[in-house]
Amino acid sequence: MRGEVTWARGAAVGLAVVAWATFFVFAPVGAQLPQQSETISRCGTAVPSSVAIDTATSGNVELVALTAAQRVYVCGFGFESDTATTTVQFISGTGTACATGETDLTGPMTLLASNPMSVSNGGATQFVTAAGNALCVELGAATQVNGWLTYLKY
């Protein structure tokens, strides 16, 4: 367990106010904690890459190709369906379009026709693939979905 202590001091009409806060990072036994120079959210410290989402394929479509020993950190995403309601889900895996070892990274998100959905970066990682896995999107129906995704690879 690692902790940091931060403090601030202010004054209002001659009264000193001292605030103390302690922050701890809890992790399962054996988990590797970030080192002093690392941050928990990589999306807040680097300029992400982006990829367009442009598909009408029901099933899996690869967005970010796998790289051995690297993870894909998703920083933000947005999409819309022009014509019909469908579900959109992010998954990871290996093989063609993440078909081998498919792992759900999100649950199915219902996307209503002509109602865009987005989750902006805000400096926080939204979800991460396992090392050596590609990132894919899975549509619940064969309807056109357009959008964007920002990510980092480490």
Side-chain angles (χ1 to χ4, degrees), residues 51-55 57-67 71-74 76-77 79 87-109 127-130 132-140 145 148-151 153:
V51 62
I53 299 172
D54 181 9
T55 184
T57 302
S58 177
N60 302 356
V61 175
E62 186 173 290
L63 297 176
V64 181
L66 67 83
T67 302
R71 297 175 182 263
V72 178
Y73 295 80
V74 175
F77 59 88
F79 39 75
T87 58
V88 179
Q89 182 172 13
F90 290 103
I91 60 171
S92 66
T94 58
T96 303
C98 301
T100 305
E102 185 176 316
T103 302
D104 296 343
L105 299 175
T106 67
M109 296 171 276
F127 46 88
V128 182
T129 67
N133 277 272
L135 174 68
C136 296
V137 64
E138 181 177 12
L139 301 184
V145 172
W148 53 270
L149 180 127
T150 57
Y151 69 94
K153 272 177 120 172

Side-chain angles (χ1 to χ4, degrees), residues 13-119:
V13 192
L15 175 66
V17 178
V18 178
W20 292 88
T22 304
F23 300 95
F24 295 97
V25 175
F26 295 95
V29 174
Q32 182 177 0
L33 295 175
Q35 299 301 312
Q36 221 33 4
S37 62
E38 293 180 326
T39 59
I40 293 172
S41 179
R42 294 182 183 269
C43 291
T45 60
V47 177
S49 298
S50 63
V51 62
I53 299 172
D54 181 9
T55 184
T57 302
S58 177
N60 302 356
V61 175
E62 186 173 290
L63 297 176
V64 181
L66 67 83
T67 302
Q70 289 191 344
R71 297 175 182 263
V72 178
Y73 295 80
V74 175
C75 302
F77 59 88
F79 39 75
E80 70 169 344
S81 173
D82 292 339
T83 57
T85 299
T86 188
T87 58
V88 179
Q89 182 172 13
F90 290 103
I91 60 171
S92 66
T94 58
T96 303
C98 301
T100 305
E102 185 176 316
T103 302
D104 296 343
L105 299 175
T106 67
M109 296 171 276
T110 300
L111 185 59
L112 304 174
S114 300
N115 286 298
M117 174 189 294
S118 70
V119 175

